[in-house]
Amino acid sequence: MRIALSIAGSDSGGGAGIQADLKTFHQFGVFGTSVVTAVTAQNSVGVRAWQALPTALVIRQIDALADDLPPVAVKSGMLGSADLVAAVADGIARRGLPNYVLDPVMIASSGDRLLHRDAEQLVAGRLVPLATLVTPNLDEAAVLTGREVRTVDDMERAGRALLALGAKAALVKGGHLPGSEVVDVLIADRAVRRFTSPRLDTTSTHGTGCTLSAAVAAGLALGRPLEQAVADGLDFVHRAIAAAPGLGKGHGPLNHFVPAPPRPPTDGL
C-alpha cells in the first residue's frame, strides 16, 4: 500500500485540515500519515482560536515518518507561522520527500487568517521551489506572485509566474470568480489546461482546498501522471460538494464518503 503524508493543521470541525486529508487519502486507497502543525478551535462558522505547535515537535514528526513510514507523496496545508514554513521547507528538502503538493493556506473559508503575514513571502521563496504542484486560489496566487488575479487569463499568467519561482506546475483555482462555471487552470512546463465544471449553489465549501490537494497527492502516490491526478482530484471535490450533508450553520463540510474516481490500469499497486 502506498503512503501519503499530510503536513497541516488540525480542524476541530472535521471538514478541513488533517481530518479532511486523511478521509480523502482513505477514499483513494492510500495509507495516510500526518504531521500536525497547529491545533484550531473552529466549526463551520469560523475559527475561534488556533495555536501553532512547537517547531521542534513538527521537525520530530517529519523525521519519525521519514525514518519508518516514508511517503511517496506529500501535501502541506496550514503552516501558520514563518518558523513553521522554514522548518517544513527544511524537512522536505533534507529528507527528500517526493511529489510535494503545496496548498498555500492563508485564509479559511470563513475569512479567518491562518498564516501570519510575515510568512507569506517565505512560502513563495522556500516552499514554491520545492513543489511538484502548487494549488493557490485567486487571493493566494495574488499574494505569491505580487500581481492581481481577476480573470482566467490572469490565472494563467499567475501560474506561469509560480513556475518562474521554481514550482514544477501550478493549479490556480478559480472558484472565487463570478459566473455559472468554475474554471481552474493547470500550468505545467509549456502546457496549459483549463478545467471547467458547473458552479454548485451551496454553502458547503469548507475544506475544498485541503481536499483537492490531498486528492492530487493521493493520485501522485498511486503513480498517476500529474494531469490525471489533478483531473481526478477536481472530479472528487466536485462530487463531494454536490453530495455535502448540509452540516453546520456556516460553510459546511464536503461529503468525503463519495467514491474516488476508478483506478486506471496504470496505477502501480
Side-chain angles (χ1 to χ4, degrees):
M1 179 175 284
R2 303 297 179 89
I3 298 174
L5 166 63
S6 170
I7 305 173
S10 171
D11 174 10
S12 56
I18 290 288
Q19 288 83 346
D21 296 344
L22 293 178
K23 293 172 188 177
T24 301
F25 290 161
H26 176 83
Q27 289 302 93
F28 275 76
V30 300
F31 184 83
T33 58
S34 61
V35 169
V36 180
T37 59
V39 175
T40 69
Q42 67 174 298
N43 53 30
S44 70
V45 177
V47 180
R48 297 186 178 183
W50 64 269
Q51 179 67 54
L53 268 65
T55 302
L57 182 56
V58 171
I59 294 171
R60 292 292 294 272
Q61 290 180 78
I62 293 172
D63 286 337
L65 294 173
D67 287 341
D68 184 53
L69 296 165
V72 291
V74 183
K75 67 143 289 185
S76 69
M78 178 187 179
L79 300 179
S81 70
D83 286 345
L84 285 179
V85 170
V88 168
D90 288 342
I92 291 172
R94 178 170 50 85
R95 301 309 301 248
L97 302 183
N99 293 316
Y100 171 43
V101 179
L102 165 60
D103 179 11
V105 173
M106 296 179 183
I107 299 175
S109 301
S110 58
D112 298 286
R113 176 162 283 277
L114 297 176
L115 180 71
H116 294 160
R117 291 188 185 276
D118 64 353
E120 291 174 349
Q121 292 311 306
L122 201 59
V123 172
R126 295 291 307 277
L127 290 176
V128 169
L130 297 172
T132 300
L133 178 71
V134 56
T135 64
N137 61 29
L138 301 183
D139 294 335
E140 293 159 351
V143 169
L144 292 174
T145 63
R147 62 186 72 189
E148 292 185 344
V149 185
R150 296 182 176 178
T151 68
V152 175
D153 288 340
D154 289 344
M155 293 165 64
E156 183 175 332
R157 283 189 285 269
R160 293 190 186 281
L162 290 167
L163 267 62
L165 289 174
K168 292 182 181 177
L171 177 67
V172 183
K173 301 174 294 188
H176 294 164
L177 287 180
S180 60
E181 285 190 327
V182 174
V183 181
D184 303 296
V185 181
L186 174 65
I187 302 93
D189 296 325
R190 298 180 181 179
V192 176
R193 179 174 174 184
R194 296 182 179 184
F195 297 87
T196 61
S197 59
R199 185 177 298 278
L200 299 172
D201 184 14
T202 180
T203 58
S204 296
T205 56
H206 182 55
T208 51
C210 303
T211 301
L212 175 59
S213 56
V216 175
L220 294 176
L222 292 168
R224 298 176 188 176
L226 177 63
E227 187 171 329
Q228 183 64 53
V230 168
D232 288 345
L234 289 168
D235 172 64
F236 179 77
V237 169
H238 185 81
R239 289 184 290 106
I241 295 172
L247 302 178
K249 300 175 183 177
H251 292 281
L254 317 185
N255 182 356
H256 291 95
F257 292 110
V258 297
R263 294 179 179 177
T266 55
D267 276 4
L269 299 181

